Amino acid sequence: MVKITQPHIDKREHLINEAIELFAEKGFEGTSIRDLATRAGVNIAMVNYYFGSKEKLFEAIVAKKASHMRGVLDIILANKALTEIEKLDAIIEGYVTRFFAYPTFHRVLQQELLVSSRDHMHETIIELFIRNTKDVVGIIQKGIKSGVFKKVDPELTFASIIGTLNQVLSSAMMCNKLMNKPKDYNPYDNPQFKKRLITHIQCVVHALLLK
Amino acid sequence: MVKITQPHIDKREHLINEAIELFAEKGFEGTSIRDLATRAGVNIAMVNYYFGSKEKLFEAIVAKKASHMRGVLDIILANKALTEIEKLDAIIEGYVTRFFAYPTFHRVLQQELLVSSRDHMHETIIELFIRNTKDVVGIIQKGIKSGVFKKVDPELTFASIIGTLNQVLSSAMMCNKLMNKPKDYNPYDNPQFKKRLITHIQCVVHALLLK
DNA sequence: TTGTTTAATTTAAACGATTGTTTAATTTTG
DNA sequence: CAAAATTAAACAATCGTTTAAATTAAACAA
């Protein structure tokens, strides 16, 4: 007898992945559990069975995926062989690579940053951002103190890095219009576009910081 | 006899303004018409009476407020006395001023850019962005051709300008944490912070473009 | 001004549909 | 056989919207 349903190794993970796609497209409130259950091919009750509630599913999503950039940052920060500007270059590449690998997830995070009604979730995401911000700001400040960097605004410089990336990530349709690609094209699958973005942000940081 | 209700010159406008605040805080789907009616001090039926539907209320919001930057851009573009870099500086100041004057409205727009489920609304907002993008990109390309600007990526340069601004705008709580302000502080009311942001973005553009 | 008529506004109540969640029975698994 | 997973069905609550009656405002003739 042939199995009709896919052999999901971990149904929890499958639900999380499908939820990210739906949340990114329709938003958290705009996505119903029935939408999700249908799309994931499971019963309506399974979401509450696995996660307890819709909101806890959201927390599970954040808990599972949001801390990845921490590891990347820690490795770069611990690398004594890198100069400050090389660290920043590596961080930029790390961010773009990560965001391009999971564009829908980071769209969900951005949505939650904009919507402040789910207080706990909002603060959790901000905490993550703040820690990363302080690390990058620290590198910039160190470079300024040692005289390698010009005296810029460290916090807003990081805002420019992440902001540029988020701007590109916020709407695929907009990217496609600007690149004359068809409407349903996925710009985040395009390695040339990814390279172009990395180069641009690095250029911005170089121009702003290096004397 | 004293009037109990406030003398709203235009109830339509009052509803729009309250809706912007609620949509910015809770999102479009996260805001119920009952929420809005209660907050605005009107009956539940009034939203549909004035706008026809919740979605048309949203369209009314966009139609009323979204085209303002066009006028600002047109004036700057038509000013023959300005050099390219002066135009860009003026555009940056215009954008920051506008966004700081109506931070909640622009948060609503950003949300709608992230959520692509309401197709018509999504495209409308993108059209507005695209037009403005093309104008700014045009200035940068002109500067590059005449040899005044370095050969940068014009589209992504605009993404950096708007992206930096949107990043700052996306969460007041984050701004406050970075500036060591209390949780309920409104950073967009702070003229020094506004000046700081204008200066930073202009610095970025100068560093990136000027030889 | 006056009273009358018509239109615009506002209201409370109800509409059906959909929401997240729970239940209790059933099937699958180890 | 016991535990875990899955199901269909129902739960109360809330959603956007509509209705039909009540109120207010505007228009107009006398």
Side-chain angles (χ1 to χ4, degrees):
Chain A
M1 196 57 190
V2 182
K3 269 199 166 184
I4 294 170
T5 51
Q6 298 288 333
H8 303 309
I9 302 144
D10 190 346
K11 219 154 201 169
R12 247 185 81 99
E13 194 159 356
H14 180 240
L15 270 172
I16 285 182
N17 291 332
E18 296 297 330
I20 290 172
E21 297 302 313
L22 275 174
F23 288 170
E25 187 189 330
K26 306 185 171 193
F28 177 77
E29 322 272 359
T31 302
S32 75
I33 292 192
R34 283 165 183 82
D35 281 346
L36 174 57
T38 303
R39 172 159 177 154
V42 301
N43 189 273
I44 324 165
M46 297 311 288
V47 172
N48 284 274
Y49 176 74
Y50 276 114
F51 299 97
S53 71
K54 191 188 177 186
E55 193 141 347
K56 282 181 184 168
L57 160 64
F58 196 95
E59 286 170 19
I61 290 175
V62 174
K64 186 158 205 321
K65 299 251 183 182
S67 58
H68 180 271
M69 270 313 290
R70 277 305 327 155
V72 176
L73 276 179
D74 285 336
I75 291 171
I76 294 170
L77 286 165
N79 191 339
K80 304 269 185 185
L82 297 176
T83 64
E84 270 85 33
I85 192 68
E86 285 169 338
K87 282 182 185 173
L88 290 180
D89 281 345
I91 289 169
I92 291 166
E93 186 175 346
Y95 264 108
V96 175
T97 300
R98 176 69 183 172
F99 279 40
F100 267 54
Y102 301 98
T104 49
F105 168 69
H106 286 279
R107 250 199 296 272
V108 174
L109 280 196
Q110 243 188 297
Q111 282 178 27
E112 204 55 23
L113 212 66
L114 280 167
V115 174
S116 46
S117 55
R118 285 176 293 281
D119 252 34
H120 177 61
M121 194 84 303
H122 190 70
E123 289 194 42
T124 302
I125 292 170
I126 284 183
E127 289 300 332
L128 288 164
F129 265 83
I130 293 280
R131 265 204 68 186
N132 295 358
T133 303
K134 284 186 174 163
D135 283 337
V136 177
V137 165
I139 295 175
I140 296 173
Q141 282 172 334
K142 202 177 160 194
I144 294 174
K145 260 192 183 163
S146 66
V148 186
F149 290 166
K150 288 186 276 189
K151 284 178 185 165
V152 299
D153 192 314
E155 288 87 5
L156 291 183
T157 299
F158 183 65
S160 288
I161 295 171
I162 297 294
T164 305
L165 179 47
N166 275 336
Q167 185 70 20
V168 167
L169 210 84
S170 64
S171 171
M173 197 188 282
M174 187 136 136
C175 287
N176 290 336
K177 284 227 174 188
L178 286 173
M179 298 194 304
N180 293 317
K181 297 279 185 182
K183 216 173 175 181
D184 60 337
Y185 184 77
N186 183 354
Y188 314 116
D189 270 347
N190 186 335
Q192 288 152 28
F193 184 53
K194 180 184 154 188
K195 184 82 189 70
R196 180 180 160 189
L197 182 57
I198 292 173
T199 303
H200 167 76
I201 300 180
Q202 287 176 342
C203 281
V204 168
V205 170
H206 286 212
L208 191 64
L209 289 175
L210 297 183
K211 293 179 174 175
Chain B
M1 196 57 190
V2 183
K3 268 199 169 186
I4 295 169
T5 51
Q6 298 288 333
H8 302 309
I9 303 144
D10 191 348
K11 220 158 202 171
R12 249 185 79 98
E13 195 159 357
H14 180 240
L15 270 172
I16 284 181
N17 291 333
E18 297 297 330
I20 289 173
E21 296 303 312
L22 275 175
F23 289 170
E25 188 189 329
K26 305 184 171 195
F28 177 77
E29 321 273 0
T31 303
S32 74
I33 291 192
R34 284 165 182 83
D35 281 346
L36 174 56
T38 303
R39 171 158 179 156
V42 300
N43 188 273
I44 323 166
M46 297 312 288
V47 173
N48 283 274
Y49 176 76
Y50 276 114
F51 300 97
S53 71
K54 191 187 177 188
E55 193 141 349
K56 282 181 184 169
L57 160 63
F58 196 95
E59 287 171 18
I61 290 175
V62 174
K64 187 160 204 322
K65 299 248 182 183
S67 58
H68 179 271
M69 271 312 293
R70 277 305 326 156
V72 177
L73 277 179
D74 284 337
I75 291 171
I76 294 170
L77 286 165
N79 191 339
K80 304 271 185 184
L82 297 177
T83 63
E84 270 86 34
I85 193 68
E86 285 170 338
K87 281 183 184 172
L88 289 181
D89 281 345
I91 288 170
I92 290 166
E93 186 175 347
Y95 265 107
V96 175
T97 299
R98 176 68 183 174
F99 279 40
F100 267 54
Y102 301 96
T104 47
F105 169 68
H106 286 279
R107 250 199 296 273
V108 174
L109 280 196
Q110 244 188 296
Q111 282 177 25
E112 204 54 24
L113 213 64
L114 281 166
V115 174
S116 45
S117 55
R118 284 175 294 281
D119 252 36
H120 177 61
M121 195 84 302
H122 190 70
E123 290 195 41
T124 303
I125 293 170
I126 284 184
E127 290 298 331
L128 289 165
F129 265 82
I130 293 280
R131 264 204 68 185
N132 296 359
T133 303
K134 285 187 175 165
D135 283 338
V136 178
V137 165
I139 295 175
I140 296 172
Q141 283 172 333
K142 202 177 158 193
I144 293 174
K145 260 193 183 163
S146 67
V148 186
F149 291 165
K150 286 186 278 189
K151 284 178 186 167
V152 300
D153 191 314
E155 287 87 4
L156 291 184
T157 299
F158 184 64
S160 288
I161 295 171
I162 297 294
T164 304
L165 179 46
N166 276 335
Q167 185 70 20
V168 167
L169 211 83
S170 63
S171 171
M173 197 188 281
M174 187 137 137
C175 287
N176 290 337
K177 285 226 172 186
L178 286 173
M179 299 195 303
N180 293 318
K181 296 279 184 182
K183 214 172 176 181
D184 60 337
Y185 184 79
N186 183 354
Y188 316 115
D189 271 348
N190 186 334
Q192 289 153 27
F193 183 53
K194 180 184 154 188
K195 183 83 189 67
R196 180 180 160 190
L197 182 58
I198 293 173
T199 303
H200 167 76
I201 301 179
Q202 287 176 343
C203 280
V204 168
V205 169
H206 286 210
L208 192 64
L209 289 174
L210 296 182
K211 294 181 173 175

